[in-house]
Amino acid sequence: MNSKFIASTVVAIAALTGANAFAQGNLSGEAAYVIAPVTTASNTTRAQVQADYLQARQGGNVAISNEGAFVAAPVVATGVTRAEVRTDAVKAHQLDGRIAS
């Protein structure tokens, strides 16, 4: 009973002191200044910003990037059927198995 109490006390103290270690940052000088958030006041509403953006986009004044967006490859018609592609894949897999062993 006494050992359980001591163990739980040690765990509780470790949890409390560990939380305090992360409460204070080690940054000072310029590093602390750069990371500190800057609050600003704006007179523009969200609806006004969205309307301005849409107007600029329709006018061609905003660059639109597809970076990170999924763009489907164009469909190209070939003379190969689905069955032929599957047969070729099976043959390639069998040939690959023979080479590996």
Side-chain angles (χ1 to χ4, degrees):
M1 176 83 169
N2 198 13
S3 62
K4 289 182 182 180
F5 177 73
I6 292 173
S8 63
T9 304
V10 169
V11 170
I13 291 173
L16 292 175
T17 57
N20 289 337
F22 292 107
Q24 297 175 355
N26 293 332
L27 300 176
S28 61
E30 290 182 29
Y33 178 72
V34 172
I35 295 176
V38 178
T39 58
T40 59
S42 176
N43 297 333
T44 309
T45 65
R46 176 180 282 237
Q48 290 171 333
V49 170
Q50 290 174 344
D52 290 344
Y53 169 73
L54 289 175
Q55 184 179 6
R57 185 172 175 181
Q58 290 171 352
N61 298 328
V62 176
I64 300 172
S65 173
N66 287 335
E67 185 176 324
F70 175 75
V71 179
V75 177
V76 179
T78 63
V80 183
T81 65
R82 184 181 187 109
E84 291 172 336
V85 171
R86 287 182 175 216
T87 304
D88 289 345
V90 169
K91 287 180 184 177
H93 180 68
Q94 290 171 351
L95 179 63
D96 190 31
R98 280 189 237 143
I99 293 171
S101 54

